[in-house]
Amino acid sequence: MGELPSMKVKPVKWEDVAYWCKLLSKRIRDSGYRPDVVIAIARGGFVPARLVCDYLNIVDLLSIKVEHWIETGKHIERAYIKYPFKVDLTGKRVLIVDDICDTGESLIVAREHVEEHCKPLEVKTATMQHIPSVAKIEPDFYVDVVKEWTWYMYPWNYTEDMVNLTRKIMNSDPQKQWAPEEVKEAFKIAYNLDVPLETIKEVMEEATLRGFLEKNGSKYKLKT
Ligand code: ADE
């Protein structure tokens, strides 16, 4: 049996998102930048971008899908535009919005794509969180500076994150049959998260439906 993972995780509430986006919008307004078009980076930028549009009275909201993959064995993360598009943004001031600037790869490739293919007048970038210790780019606007690298569990991603955090825990002992109670304990140790047992059970059921786990009686094992 291996060691449990250890990761700093911050659960985010919807009210936190509204608060950060309001502050972010104020920073943008106070800077004098007046975007004509907001482009949300899919999927994390959807909700923040929509809120920024509301707070700044912007009606033109587009989206760009950035995909990430890890180069095998190299520990290098690459990002690319999954569905490249060409829209005419001649004369437009653009604001690209994402939830977090972590490596910054998403912002970099989105910005490059828009500048190269859409001919905008100006492009600026905005995120709620920024992690300067790992980011290759500083967004033009952000509100929350993350000192120690942290996984932000945004409310729109709760199920996906909980399934992945569960898989990480169970991967510490891939042959083991795990009871939900044991996973609950592991969540405390690995992520310092106190998750209700009912939620753990729901998540393990969902992870089974998604094909990641197999159920034997009341216990679960990682699917190989
Ligand atoms: N997406 C990329 N990096 C992230 C992080 N640190 N937290 C949440 N979502 C992310």
Side-chain angles (χ1 to χ4, degrees):
M1 160 171 176
E3 248 182 84
L4 281 176
S6 174
M7 186 162 93
K8 201 171 170 207
V9 177
K10 181 181 166 63
V12 174
K13 295 190 177 71
W14 287 109
E15 302 86 73
D16 300 327
V17 173
Y19 170 76
W20 286 323
C21 287
K22 199 171 263 187
L23 212 58
L24 186 60
S25 302
K26 185 170 164 33
R27 296 239 165 124
I28 295 162
R29 177 173 275 160
D30 289 349
S31 78
Y33 192 57
R34 298 279 178 269
D36 303 293
V37 178
V38 167
I39 303 180
I41 295 183
R43 297 168 294 165
F46 262 84
V47 174
R50 183 63 187 87
L51 292 176
V52 166
C53 283
D54 184 37
Y55 297 139
L56 294 180
N57 190 29
I58 299 164
V59 293
D60 287 354
L61 173 58
L62 315 179
S63 177
I64 187 165
K65 172 68 178 134
V66 178
E67 193 99 324
H68 293 260
W69 54 281
I70 311 282
E71 244 181 279
T72 324
K74 287 191 184 166
H75 301 282
I76 297 171
E77 200 202 49
R78 302 271 166 194
Y80 68 99
I81 307 298
K82 189 165 183 189
Y83 305 104
F85 59 74
K86 209 176 149 172
V87 284
D88 185 12
L89 297 177
T90 306
K92 304 284 187 191
R93 289 193 170 83
V94 172
L95 183 70
I96 297 177
V97 176
D98 207 351
D99 46 6
I100 185 166
C101 178
D102 186 319
T103 64
E105 285 278 344
S106 294
L107 290 178
I108 291 168
V109 298
R111 181 184 197 130
E112 277 175 4
H113 187 270
V114 169
E115 283 175 346
E116 212 174 295
H117 297 95
C118 307
K119 305 277 170 273
L121 178 63
E122 201 173 356
V123 179
K124 288 186 186 282
T125 55
T127 63
M128 299 184 297
Q129 277 68 41
H130 172 41
I131 317 185
S133 56
V134 290
K136 300 185 191 103
I137 178 181
E138 185 186 14
D140 296 290
F141 308 102
Y142 51 93
V143 288
D144 184 23
V145 179
V146 182
K147 297 241 168 64
E148 188 190 343
W149 190 92
T150 303
W151 183 262
Y152 278 69
M153 218 160 114
Y154 296 110
W156 51 81
N157 215 51
Y158 187 77
T159 309
E160 189 176 306
D161 282 345
M162 286 297 288
V163 165
N164 286 335
L165 293 175
T166 300
R167 290 170 68 200
K168 260 170 98 85
I169 283 171
M170 293 175 71
N171 200 38
S172 68
D173 197 348
Q175 302 308 323
K176 178 184 158 82
Q177 299 280 347
W178 292 77
E181 289 79 3
E182 295 172 303
V183 172
K184 177 182 163 65
E185 278 313 300
F187 259 82
K188 276 190 212 147
I189 297 162
Y191 312 126
N192 197 30
L193 287 183
D194 197 358
V195 184
L197 183 59
E198 272 315 301
T199 306
I200 297 283
K201 285 180 178 171
E202 265 175 38
V203 167
M204 292 178 86
E205 279 298 313
E206 184 59 31
T208 306
L209 288 175
R210 294 184 186 195
F212 297 125
L213 309 182
E214 55 186 44
K215 192 176 187 184
N216 300 293
S218 58
K219 294 194 174 184
Y220 300 79
K221 186 170 95 63
L222 267 190
K223 230 167 158 176
T224 41

